[in-house]
């Protein structure tokens, strides 16, 4: 099967059917600009070429198993099954004001094992392919089309650590940017990472001006190590040098999840201010979303607001995140598929 995302192989199918290049543009537009399906795309081709395309081109790579719509906000959780029987999740977000967004997964499970994240509990199975990463966006686009919406914002904040699957993730980002495909602007694609310095540097070199989000969660090495095992491998000092370079190239967002009694005290605040001093970052203070099996407790909203106010007073551009989709376990860190592979 030739993937619709395999430009070279698709070109060979085009050529052997002598399809004019402008018809391929209509074909691509039907899929990516008009959020049409297989039949709409095939309909743009000369009749003589349709059987070959229908037989040899793969249009879909994930099966949509379940859709859960939040009753309290504009979030929809989508559960997809891969061809080899894994389950992954994406979340469509329709904020009251702002662009329709999707939070997508880059791996089946995750190998980072952050103590506060539900995905880590399912372990790591494998990287998602380019086709599987992009199909989440393609299918979501089709889903929101009848609502008069289109996906204008993509965040790599679903399951997995995107920078530990750099080949597929970099290729997916390039497709999301490309005018002939998804045509999203650089500022509307965000990759979020636990902090893999060499991959972050490679990312900002490849995609200057594209936001990069770092899940910092503590500026104290010993605290961060306890929360995020990857911090042992990539210590804060090294990460800071990367942040300085990355912020000179594009927008860097720092995510700070607030956990009661763990990273929300005075010493934590001071360490954060000292750590980020002089680096032009945007700080996002995140509430902890609970999940079954976790003993951790989030910091209460008034304290989070106070923490954010102190950061603002120290000169940092700071916002408070309010997660959507908490009633359908679709909020940050709640994506987990324990039933993976059992439904094959
Ligand atoms: N692996 C990447 C992207 C996935 S997580 C990363 O770590 O950045 C996306 C964001 O949700 C990260 O900032 C992560 O730290 C945060 N997160 C994880 N678990 C959470 C939880 N239980 N509550 C709130 N945010 C959480």
């Amino acid at each position: 099967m030739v993937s619709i995302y395999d430009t070279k192989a698709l070109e060979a199918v085009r050529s052997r059917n002598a399809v004019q290049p402008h018809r391929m543009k209509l074909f691509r537009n039907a899929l990516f600009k008009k959020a049409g399906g297989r039949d709409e795309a095939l309909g743009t081709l000369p009749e003589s070429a349709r059987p070959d395309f229908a037989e040899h081109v793969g249009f879909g790579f994930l099966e949509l198993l379940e859709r859960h719509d939040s009753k309290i906000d504009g979030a929809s959780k989508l559960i997809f099954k891969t061809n080899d029987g894994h389950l992954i999740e994406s979340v469509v977000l329709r904020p009251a004001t702002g662009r329709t967004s999707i939070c997508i997964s880059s791996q089946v499970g995750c190998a980072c094992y952050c103590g506060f994240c539900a995905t880590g509990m399912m372990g790591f199975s494998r990287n998602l392919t380019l086709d599987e990463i992009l199909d989440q966006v393609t299918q979501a686009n089709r889903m929101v089309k009848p609502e008069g919406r289109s996906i204008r914002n993509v965040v790599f904040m679903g399951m997995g650590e995107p920078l530990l699957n750099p080949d597929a993730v970099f290729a997916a980002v390039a497709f999301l940017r490309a005018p002939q495909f998804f045509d999203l602007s650089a500022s509307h694609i965000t990759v979020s990472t636990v902090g893999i310095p060499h991959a972050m540097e490679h990312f900002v070199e490849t995609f200057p001006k594209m936001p990069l989000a770092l899940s910092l969660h503590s500026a104290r090495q010993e605290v961060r190590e306890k929360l995020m095992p990857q911090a042992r491998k990539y210590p804060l000092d090294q990460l800071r040098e990367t942040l300085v370079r990355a912020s000179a190239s594009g927008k860097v967002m720092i995510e700070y999840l607030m956990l009661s009694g763990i990273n929300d005290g005075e010493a934590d605040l001071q360490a954060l201010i000292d750590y980020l001093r002089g680096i032009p970052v945007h700080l996002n203070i995140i509430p902890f979303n609970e999940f079954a099996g976790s003993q951790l407790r989030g910091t209460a909203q008034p304290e989070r607001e106070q923490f954010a106010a102190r950061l603002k007073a120290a000169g940092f551009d700071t916002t408070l995140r309010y997660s959507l989709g908490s009633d359908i376990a679709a909020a940050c860190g709640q994506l987990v598929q324990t039933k993976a592979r059992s439904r094959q």
Side-chain angles (χ1 to χ4, degrees):
M1 271 293 170
V2 169
S3 160
I4 45 171
Y5 305 113
D6 186 339
T7 318
K8 256 200 194 143
L10 205 57
E11 169 57 21
V13 182
R14 180 202 72 76
S15 156
R16 73 175 178 235
N17 286 282
V19 175
Q20 298 286 323
H22 83 273
R23 298 294 281 267
M24 288 309 286
K25 188 176 169 191
L26 298 179
F27 176 84
R28 277 195 308 270
N29 286 353
L31 287 172
F32 305 114
K33 304 257 160 61
K34 298 185 181 157
R38 177 179 182 273
D39 293 347
E40 282 95 330
L42 289 173
T44 64
L45 299 171
E47 243 169 89
S48 58
R50 287 179 204 167
D52 190 11
F53 274 75
E55 192 180 345
H56 295 112
V57 176
F59 291 84
F61 305 92
L62 297 169
E63 182 193 340
L64 180 61
L65 277 193
E66 287 173 31
R67 168 181 173 175
H68 302 268
D69 295 321
S70 167
K71 291 187 178 61
I72 54 172
D73 55 48
S76 302
K77 178 160 83 169
L78 309 180
I79 302 179
F80 292 106
K81 186 161 102 173
T82 63
N83 286 334
D84 57 347
H86 291 292
L87 303 185
I88 59 155
E89 305 187 348
S90 321
V91 185
V92 173
L93 303 155
R94 306 171 187 80
T97 54
R99 295 179 294 268
T100 307
S101 304
I102 186 167
C103 175
I104 59 173
S105 295
S106 56
Q107 298 181 315
V108 182
C110 189
C112 293
Y113 305 106
C114 301
F116 48 78
C117 180
T119 304
M121 287 174 34
M122 66 186 272
F124 173 72
S125 296
R126 68 166 173 85
N127 282 331
L128 290 180
T129 64
L130 170 68
D131 294 336
E132 291 165 335
I133 294 174
L134 290 176
D135 205 25
Q136 299 172 62
V137 185
T138 303
Q139 293 206 36
N141 241 335
R142 254 176 244 151
M143 187 187 94
V144 300
K145 189 184 172 186
E147 305 166 25
R149 293 175 178 272
S150 67
I151 304 285
R152 299 311 301 158
N153 211 54
V154 175
V155 297
F156 285 79
M157 295 191 189
M159 291 176 170
E161 167 48 45
L163 295 186
L164 288 179
N165 181 13
D167 292 349
V169 166
F170 279 50
V173 169
F175 266 98
L176 294 171
R177 278 288 286 138
Q180 67 274 35
F181 290 98
F182 294 90
D183 199 20
L184 299 184
S185 70
S187 59
H188 294 177
I189 304 167
T190 303
V191 169
S192 179
T193 177
V194 293
I196 317 275
H198 58 275
M200 291 168 72
E201 307 227 359
H202 186 204
F203 184 86
V204 297
E205 278 159 25
T206 314
F207 304 109
K209 302 216 161 51
M210 196 171 286
L212 184 61
L214 169 68
S215 297
L216 186 63
H217 306 327
S218 177
R220 300 167 70 188
Q221 181 65 22
E222 68 283 9
V223 177
R224 194 164 189 269
E225 277 182 17
K226 275 197 198 122
L227 289 173
M228 311 172 72
Q230 289 283 325
R232 275 177 235 144
K233 208 158 160 193
Y234 305 112
L236 281 167
D237 296 348
Q238 188 190 359
L239 213 45
R240 191 176 190 282
E241 285 168 30
T242 299
L243 282 181
V244 170
R245 280 193 284 274
S247 64
S249 148
K251 189 173 142 195
V252 173
M253 190 169 91
I254 301 289
E255 295 164 282
Y256 197 97
L257 166 65
M258 290 193 70
L259 295 164
S260 181
I262 292 179
N263 65 355
D264 62 351
E266 188 61 34
D268 300 292
L269 178 70
Q270 280 312 322
L272 184 58
I273 291 173
D274 290 344
Y275 185 73
L276 294 176
R277 184 169 286 129
I279 316 180
V281 293
H282 176 99
L283 263 158
N284 206 342
I285 302 300
I286 311 177
F288 175 61
N289 296 309
E290 292 179 6
F291 55 91
S294 163
Q295 310 296 320
L296 296 164
R297 280 192 311 114
T299 305
Q301 185 167 334
E303 281 88 66
R304 289 203 311 272
E305 284 170 359
Q306 178 65 20
F307 200 85
R310 298 271 304 275
L311 288 164
K312 270 188 210 163
F316 293 102
D317 180 16
T318 309
T319 47
L320 286 149
R321 180 191 289 174
Y322 297 96
S323 278
L324 300 184
S326 52
D327 63 326
I328 50 169
C332 312
Q334 292 185 316
L335 303 185
V336 62
Q337 278 302 334
T338 45
K339 282 172 286 189
R341 296 185 75 88
S342 64
R343 300 192 197 178
Q344 276 186 70

